[in-house]
């Protein structure tokens, strides 16, 4: 199929929740991808998950192949050796913490929101930052500090409010006895790569 045929197929069968460039990527290697005409591009997309290691990294491809011949998926109702080993490795990087395995950053943030409210019952308030981005699931767009992401989905999850990044007084003005958590990106990406200052982060920890 050529690009025109593939685009037509998408328009008929795929919900257009993303705007797409007129490019059909057919293969990748390292930091390069190739389109359906054989043209090569340097891929500067940040890469999610193992994509951060580049396209078709031989060790990743070999590990996927090896595991697929053994067991592709196992329900969370059972134990499996690899998950425990990986959790132990992560625990060496963050002593005293346990792992919650999930499929995406949005799902991780959903888990964080639920865990905060569960741990701090009956407190429900979550303070996040203006211009933040926490994902596209329902709780995550509620936490996201960009109104455009919430258009068409209101009312969102209640008692999530937005302060200004690097403005401690803004956070304090929203803090009350029902606050369960303060949630933020150490570096806001969607807003234009804006870091939280070390002083702000330490002050939030102190709060």
């Amino acid at each position: 199929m050529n690009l025109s045929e593939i685009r037509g197929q998408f328009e008929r069968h795929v919900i257009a929740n993303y705007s797409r460039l007129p490019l059909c990527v057919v293969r990748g290697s390292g930091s390069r991808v190739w389109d359906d005409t054989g043209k090569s591009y340097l891929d500067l997309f940040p890469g999610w998950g193992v994509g951060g290691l580049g396209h078709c990294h031989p060790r990743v491809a070999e590990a996927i192949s090896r595991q697929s011949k053994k067991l592709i998926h196992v329900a969370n109702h059972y134990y499996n050796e690899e998950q425990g080993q990986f959790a132990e490795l992560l625990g060496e990087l963050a002593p005293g913490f346990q792992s919650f395995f999930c499929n995406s950053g949005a799902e991780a943030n959903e888990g964080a929101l639920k865990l905060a409210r569960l741990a701090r019952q009956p407190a429900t308030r979550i303070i996040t930052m203006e211009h933040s981005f926490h994902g596209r699931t329902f709780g995550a767009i509620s936490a996201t500090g960009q109104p455009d992401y919430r258009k068409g989905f209101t009312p969102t999850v209640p008692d999530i409010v937005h302060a200004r990044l690097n403005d401690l007084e803004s956070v304090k003005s929203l803090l009350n006895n029902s606050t369960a958590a303060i949630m933020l990106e150490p570096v806001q990406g969607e807003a234009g790569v804006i870091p939280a200052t070390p002083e702000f982060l330490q002050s939030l920890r102190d709060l």
Side-chain angles (χ1 to χ4, degrees):
M1 295 174 69
N2 61 34
L3 178 59
S4 177
E5 292 170 324
I6 293 168
R7 288 181 70 175
Q9 189 177 55
F10 267 65
E11 288 165 8
R12 290 190 302 273
H13 302 293
V14 180
I15 292 175
N17 57 322
Y18 290 94
S19 57
R20 297 177 191 270
L21 298 170
L23 176 68
C24 179
V25 176
V26 296
R27 68 182 181 92
S29 178
S31 297
R32 302 202 77 79
V33 293
W34 284 261
D35 69 10
D36 57 321
T37 70
K39 186 175 180 181
S40 171
Y41 300 83
L42 179 63
D43 185 4
L44 298 177
F45 190 78
W48 290 317
V50 294
L53 300 176
H55 294 279
C56 304
H57 191 290
R59 288 180 63 188
V60 173
E62 194 278 327
I64 292 170
S65 174
R66 184 175 66 249
Q67 183 62 41
S68 71
K69 295 169 187 171
K70 205 167 75 168
L71 186 66
I72 291 178
H73 177 262
V74 61
N76 286 327
H77 300 285
Y78 311 112
Y79 294 100
N80 68 83
E81 186 177 5
E82 288 79 7
Q83 193 174 60
Q85 290 174 342
F86 186 46
E88 185 174 14
L89 286 172
L90 292 174
E92 291 172 4
L93 298 173
F97 287 86
Q98 292 180 302
S99 294
F100 169 67
F101 294 114
C102 52
N103 298 310
S104 67
E107 190 181 353
N109 285 332
E110 292 282 346
L113 293 167
K114 289 168 67 179
L115 183 61
R117 285 186 171 177
L118 183 66
R120 298 279 295 148
Q121 291 181 27
T124 58
R125 171 162 285 198
I126 308 288
I127 301 173
T128 71
M129 302 298 136
E130 294 175 358
H131 310 295
S132 60
F133 180 78
H134 295 293
R136 298 177 186 274
T137 53
F138 202 59
I141 63 167
S142 304
T144 290
Q146 299 185 56
D148 282 350
Y149 280 104
R150 296 193 292 276
K151 284 181 181 175
F153 303 113
T154 54
T156 54
V157 175
D159 212 11
I160 297 180
V161 294
H162 302 93
R164 289 184 297 277
L165 185 72
N166 293 325
D167 184 339
L168 190 62
E169 293 307 313
S170 173
V171 177
K172 285 181 177 179
S173 72
L174 298 173
L175 199 66
N176 61 25
N177 289 334
S178 72
T179 301
I182 300 170
M183 177 178 182
L184 76 157
E185 303 153 281
V187 179
Q188 289 187 340
E190 287 259 328
V193 191
I194 302 170
T197 66
E199 295 78 16
F200 181 66
L201 292 172
Q202 184 60 57
S203 295
L204 294 183
R205 184 178 287 272
D206 293 342
L207 279 180

